[in-house]
Amino acid sequence: MNYKFLEGDSQFSKSINEISKSDFYRKLTPELGYQHKIGHIQKVMLLAQIIAQSENIDEEQTRILLASAAFHDSGRTRDRDNGEHGESSAKIAGEYFRKNQNNQYGVMQSEVGIVQVAIAYHVIIESTPRKIDEKKLAELCYKYDVNISENFEKVKTIATILKDSDALDRTRFSSKTSLKNNLNPELLRTKTAKQQSVIELARKVNQIYAGYMLRENYHNKQVVQGDNAKTLQFLRHDYKTKNGGIRKKEKEPPIEIVKLIFKESLKDIRTRDKEQISENTLYNRREKDELEL
């Protein structure tokens, strides 16, 4: 897999740079904490890009997917809101893209509704696990004026990957302290998201990201059992408890540091890709030799 999307003037770089420098996801209140700020969005965008690339999704759908990932939690006012933010986030995205027709996300006016449907759908609880509820998706297409006959499969693909990307970032929660929020791999939909290497990638991204946050915001604190994410959760809760419910205003990594975190995290998956290629090459050579014999 090619990971050059982290470099240069790629659509991924344009999209993640734009959302990272925006005022979205800056709010911090007792009701809306750290879990759905810009760090979560950046990681969901990375995972969406990787899934789309691995699943051979075309550039048009990937571009719309990244925009949907960028805005999918923009309407949140509380960490726990039972999905109400899906509709409000879709509204914010619609207003933004209609106002900014020449945008860095590359979203055209004919695609705004698709972005809104994907965002609104990402909070839907499906009756059949791991399967898109086509009836509810069709209802959202009607609501946001998306032509079903022309775009339904496209919307379905984008909504599927967005749901998986969002779910994969649940690895930011400690499995021992947040069982309710922890990732359940059995609920993932795409072949790529289900791969152990991708799940481990999501965990590694969160561990390195949490390590940065610990160094910059909670100096000289001992890491619990080598788990940066768990330690960060504990220290955040401890600060809030000791300060009357007020959360610590943390220094977030600049986008260039975030990209370095992503590159470091991708090293293992790059190595595994190369090992898989080598194994396949060796297998093909052996098979050829046997045929020649």
Side-chain angles (χ1 to χ4, degrees):
M1 184 181 288
N2 183 347
Y3 299 107
K4 290 185 178 180
F5 61 83
L6 286 169
E7 303 168 359
D9 200 30
S10 68
Q11 186 57 60
F12 176 85
S13 287
K14 288 180 181 178
S15 298
I16 200 168
N17 288 348
E18 190 68 14
I19 198 66
S20 298
K21 74 180 184 181
S22 74
D23 291 330
F24 295 108
Y25 307 107
R26 299 299 177 194
K27 192 174 182 180
L28 185 67
T29 69
E31 294 77 28
L32 183 61
Y34 309 100
Q35 300 302 342
H36 299 97
K37 293 186 70 181
I38 191 62
H40 167 62
I41 303 305
Q42 292 163 338
K43 287 176 283 183
V44 170
M45 292 178 75
L46 170 70
L47 295 164
Q49 173 71 40
I50 288 172
I51 294 173
Q53 194 165 317
S54 181
E55 302 273 325
N56 295 315
I57 305 304
D58 64 37
E59 290 183 8
E60 176 194 358
Q61 291 180 86
T62 301
R63 173 169 45 77
I64 299 171
L65 169 64
L66 290 173
S68 303
F71 282 85
H72 81 277
D73 278 342
S74 58
R76 269 192 180 273
T77 58
R78 292 176 291 151
D79 275 332
R80 298 170 188 252
D81 71 353
N82 298 317
E84 292 94 337
H85 70 280
E87 185 174 349
S88 56
S89 296
K91 180 180 179 182
I92 288 171
E95 291 172 348
Y96 175 87
F97 287 115
R98 290 191 178 94
K99 182 179 179 180
N100 299 278
Q101 296 190 21
N102 296 316
N103 57 82
Q104 288 297 306
Y105 304 92
V107 172
M108 297 183 287
Q109 291 304 291
S110 60
E111 299 167 338
V112 176
I114 299 176
V115 172
Q116 291 182 286
V117 171
I119 292 173
Y121 187 83
H122 93 276
V123 301
I124 295 293
I125 298 175
E126 296 151 339
S127 54
T128 303
R130 304 187 304 276
K131 186 176 181 181
I132 292 289
D133 189 323
E134 295 191 355
K135 181 180 179 181
K136 290 182 179 178
L137 191 65
E139 289 172 353
L140 288 172
C141 286
Y142 179 78
K143 178 177 181 177
Y144 293 105
D145 198 25
V146 172
N147 188 309
I148 292 179
S149 61
E150 293 180 4
N151 296 302
F152 191 75
E153 289 304 315
K154 182 189 300 183
V155 174
K156 186 177 176 181
T157 297
I158 293 168
T160 298
I161 297 177
L162 180 57
K163 264 190 168 290
D164 272 3
S165 306
D166 197 23
L168 279 168
D169 194 46
R170 287 182 176 273
T171 55
R172 70 191 185 277
F173 297 109
S174 166
S175 59
K176 292 183 179 181
T177 58
S178 304
L179 288 174
K180 182 178 179 180
N181 294 320
N182 196 39
L183 171 67
N184 182 354
E186 294 182 4
L187 298 180
L188 295 171
R189 298 160 172 75
T190 60
K191 182 179 179 181
T192 301
K194 294 175 184 177
Q195 292 176 2
Q196 191 59 38
S197 61
V198 175
I199 295 172
E200 288 304 317
L201 166 66
R203 288 198 178 99
K204 186 168 184 179
V205 169
N206 274 296
Q207 285 296 319
I208 298 176
Y209 192 97
Y212 177 92
M213 298 299 286
L214 288 172
R215 289 191 300 275
E216 293 297 318
N217 299 284
Y218 302 92
H219 311 290
N220 302 318
K221 297 293 184 181
Q222 185 176 359
V223 175
V224 179
Q225 298 176 344
D227 189 329
N228 290 336
K230 180 178 180 179
T231 304
L232 183 58
Q233 273 185 260
F234 171 79
L235 292 176
R236 283 171 166 173
H237 179 74
D238 185 59
Y239 183 95
K240 180 182 174 183
T241 300
K242 292 177 178 177
N243 290 274
I246 297 174
R247 301 178 192 271
K248 180 180 177 66
K249 188 173 182 180
E250 297 175 345
K251 178 182 178 182
E252 297 169 344
I255 185 57
E256 293 310 317
I257 295 296
V258 172
K259 289 181 182 178
L260 289 175
I261 290 172
F262 290 171
K263 286 181 180 180
E264 179 65 24
S265 303
L266 284 164
K267 283 182 180 178
D268 283 351
I269 199 169
R270 280 195 187 110
T271 301
R272 289 175 187 176
D273 283 349
K274 289 178 181 177
E275 289 174 351
Q276 186 63 50
I277 290 170
S278 298
E279 287 177 8
N280 290 341
T281 302
L282 181 60
Y283 175 80
N284 291 334
R285 285 176 181 171
R286 285 176 178 169
E287 190 177 48
K288 182 180 178 182
D289 290 343
E290 289 173 2
L291 288 171
E292 287 177 352
L293 288 173

